[in-house]
Amino acid sequence: MGEVRGELERLDVARVLETVASNNPSLRSEVDRVKEMYDRLSGLQLYVLNREVSFGAYLLLYRLTQLAYAVERGFDSITVASLLRDLGNTLEETYARALRSSRLQRLQFAAPVVLSSIAFLLCYASSGLFVPLLSFILGAIAVPLFALSATSSYLLDISGGLLGLSTSFEQGYDALTITLYALIVVTNATYLVLFEAARSGGGAFPRLVSSYMLLKEYLVFVDAGSVEVDEEVLKLFARNYGEIGKDLLLYKINALRATGFSSDEITRRIRALLDSYKE
């Protein structure tokens, strides 16, 4: 499955990172580390974005947007280094989330193949005939084959199930055996359809990010105007973070909104932050 960098490519990540390294030679090792992590994440296979990974993708894209903005505006090296470090940390966290999700999705798609091989063995054990043995052999081959081609694995199980059903009545199989063969065919056919649908809409992580952000693009560039922000809070962020303070405040507001907080709750939390600095 080819890599489709989608929304990540739109930001031209490689160009932004190379500009950072060119303008700040001391950051070259950190830039290389971020590039390596980005490539690992880009090659990760996913079929859906759960809430945890979706939030990670949002944070990642926002970090990239912040870094691109800082490079474009010529921010000082200390600020750029801080943003680059934050980007690297976010990449690590997002990769960890996505890797867990990828493994879980793979196990979920492999479950019917493994269960089918067990069902084929039960069918053979109850009859001892040649056709159930042949079906079991097909099911046994389907298990390791899943690592190379899930589609072929499902098709092998479907073939084994149909083979068993085709001789069920002729050989006088019991009702349990016939039911198991029918379940194997129906389950694997269902998962085959689900897998192909998921693969056509997903695959490489950047493709999913692109699809997600096309629907949720307002999360990346959302205006903070709908959230009441005390002028003192703006001054606080400007004093602590310099010229990028306002952007970091906007980032915090977006992060809170991305997790589902209402505007009132965001306002309350921002004011609580200000109060904590006053104490």
Side-chain angles (χ1 to χ4, degrees):
M1 218 176 287
E3 292 181 10
V4 181
R5 297 181 181 271
E7 193 76 6
L8 296 173
E9 187 77 349
R10 185 178 68 80
L11 290 173
D12 200 350
V13 179
R15 182 187 63 79
V16 173
L17 292 175
E18 190 56 41
T19 302
V20 170
S22 298
N23 296 343
N24 306 272
S26 61
L27 298 177
R28 169 58 70 177
S29 61
E30 181 68 15
V31 167
D32 291 340
R33 184 179 77 91
V34 171
K35 280 183 179 179
E36 181 182 353
M37 287 188 292
Y38 172 69
D39 288 338
R40 287 169 57 196
L41 182 59
S42 295
L44 193 61
Q45 298 299 302
L46 279 169
Y47 300 101
V48 293
L49 286 179
N50 60 27
R51 180 176 177 80
E52 184 184 43
V53 178
S54 296
F55 181 56
Y58 163 72
L59 291 180
L60 172 59
L61 282 171
Y62 203 87
R63 293 287 194 194
L64 287 168
T65 303
Q66 291 284 72
L67 182 60
Y69 179 82
V71 170
E72 180 183 346
R73 295 299 180 91
F75 283 13
D76 61 84
S77 59
I78 296 178
T79 300
V80 172
S82 177
L83 290 173
L84 183 63
R85 185 168 54 251
D86 289 343
L87 173 59
N89 293 336
T90 302
L91 272 168
E92 287 185 345
E93 294 168 2
T94 303
Y95 180 79
R97 290 177 176 137
L99 183 61
R100 286 195 300 269
S101 182
S102 176
R103 288 172 175 172
L104 178 59
Q105 289 174 27
R106 199 70 178 169
L107 286 174
Q108 290 172 336
F109 277 120
V113 177
V114 175
L115 293 176
S116 293
S117 66
I118 296 174
F120 281 133
L121 180 59
L122 292 175
C123 291
Y124 171 64
S126 66
S127 67
L129 299 175
F130 174 73
V131 171
L133 174 61
L134 183 57
S135 293
F136 169 67
I137 292 173
L138 292 176
I141 294 173
V143 175
L145 180 62
F146 187 87
L148 300 176
S149 173
T151 299
S152 299
S153 187
Y154 291 135
L155 290 175
L156 268 184
D157 277 341
I158 292 172
S159 299
L162 290 174
L163 180 62
L165 282 176
S166 66
T167 57
S168 293
F169 298 102
E170 179 183 339
Q171 299 293 336
Y173 294 160
D174 58 70
L176 176 60
T177 299
I178 295 175
T179 301
L180 285 176
Y181 280 133
L183 284 174
I184 289 171
V185 172
V186 172
T187 302
N188 281 275
T190 301
Y191 268 77
L192 175 59
V193 173
L194 292 174
F195 178 79
E196 292 298 329
R199 187 171 65 170
S200 65
F205 177 82
R207 179 182 300 172
L208 285 174
V209 172
S210 178
S211 300
Y212 175 76
M213 289 304 164
L214 285 176
L215 295 175
K216 306 292 185 180
E217 191 172 1
Y218 67 90
L219 288 176
V220 180
F221 301 107
V222 65
D223 184 5
S226 60
V227 179
E228 182 182 350
V229 179
D230 196 301
E231 187 66 27
E232 289 186 67
V233 179
L234 290 173
K235 291 179 180 178
L236 169 68
F237 273 74
R239 183 174 68 249
N240 289 337
Y241 303 105
E243 58 183 321
I244 201 173
K246 183 177 179 179
D247 295 304
L248 290 176
L249 175 58
L250 179 59
Y251 164 75
K252 184 172 183 62
I253 291 173
N254 277 280
L256 289 170
R257 179 170 292 175
T259 58
F261 289 111
S262 66
S263 294
D264 290 340
E265 178 63 17
I266 293 173
T267 300
R268 188 186 69 77
R269 286 174 175 263
I270 293 296
R271 285 177 174 169
L273 177 65
L274 177 62
D275 292 339
S276 69
Y277 272 87
K278 288 179 178 180
E279 293 177 356

